[in-house]
Amino acid sequence: AFPMAASAASLSVAVDQQPETGEAVVTVTDNETAVENATVEVTSDSAYAGNDTYETDANGTVTLPNPNETVTVQVNATADNATVSSDVELVPHEESLEVSASQADDGTAAVTVTQYDEAVENATVEISSDANYSGIGTYETDESGVVDLPEPNETVTVQVDATANGVSASSEVELVPLEESLDLAVSQADDGTVTATVTQYGDAVEDATVEAEGDSNYSATG
């Protein structure tokens, strides 16, 4: 997982949850060198089994337990009369996996699996649907945590189930064919001006051609 770090002068503290267990490793360094026997105090406003005072080992680390629920903890590290603090949100291991999907401007879809905000390589991704879709099947994510899916022939809702490091996450996603992907929204402001907004798969489209015409005389026809 991506380490959350804070520093004061040369002293730094980083907190990194482990994808296999959900345990949080606190690392104290001084000029990027591990600090042994630094004092680490962990506190939170809610109940957490890791709230306590510790001393770092030879690697400058302290290991905190996987939380039972999402909790924000304050980690204070002290060494050589210097103190550094960091507020960190810890997430239970069973809730750490996330899956999302987006479509590119060629209609293909990318499913992304992350855990503790880091891409997960070799996660198992199962795509299923009640409709006919060529992307149905089981995949493994690449080093970027991504699985690529083909453009659908028609609008289809797919179920995405991802599994990695003993935890799972699911999402239901609607995929739209390229030929149906463009949307046009028109709105009028209080001063009477009209704005036409073009999007594709929810993203703004630059340099799209917009044609305006009407039965009566209108200066913006064109």
Side-chain angles (χ1 to χ4, degrees), residues 3 21 26-27 31 36 40 45 79 90 125 141 145 150 157 162 167 170-171 177 184 194 204 212 215 217 221:
T21 63
V26 178
T27 304
N31 282 327
E36 187 177 5
V40 174
D45 291 335
L90 302 180
V125 175
T141 55
T157 299
V167 291
S170 299
S171 180
L184 173 65
V194 176
D215 294 335
N217 185 25
T221 296

Side-chain angles (χ1 to χ4, degrees), residues 29-55:
T29 57
D30 189 353
N31 282 327
E32 300 183 356
T33 300
V35 179
E36 187 177 5
N37 297 327
T39 300
V40 174
E41 183 181 10
V42 179
T43 58
S44 66
D45 291 335
S46 55
Y48 171 51
N51 290 340
D52 207 341
T53 301
Y54 307 83
E55 282 195 353

Side-chain angles (χ1 to χ4, degrees), residues 68-82:
N68 293 326
E69 60 184 3
T70 299
V71 59
T72 298
V73 299
Q74 183 176 49
V75 180
N76 297 321
T78 303
D80 296 328
N81 297 319

Side-chain angles (χ1 to χ4, degrees), residues 1 29 33 35-36 41 58 68 79 87 90 93 100 123 134 140 145-146 148 153-154 174 180 182 194 197 204:
T29 57
T33 300
V35 179
E36 187 177 5
E41 183 181 10
N68 293 326
D87 288 333
L90 302 180
H93 185 239
S100 62
S134 61
E140 282 194 352
V146 174
D148 294 317
N153 293 325
E154 59 184 1
E174 183 179 77
E180 301 174 13
L182 213 60
V194 176
T197 303

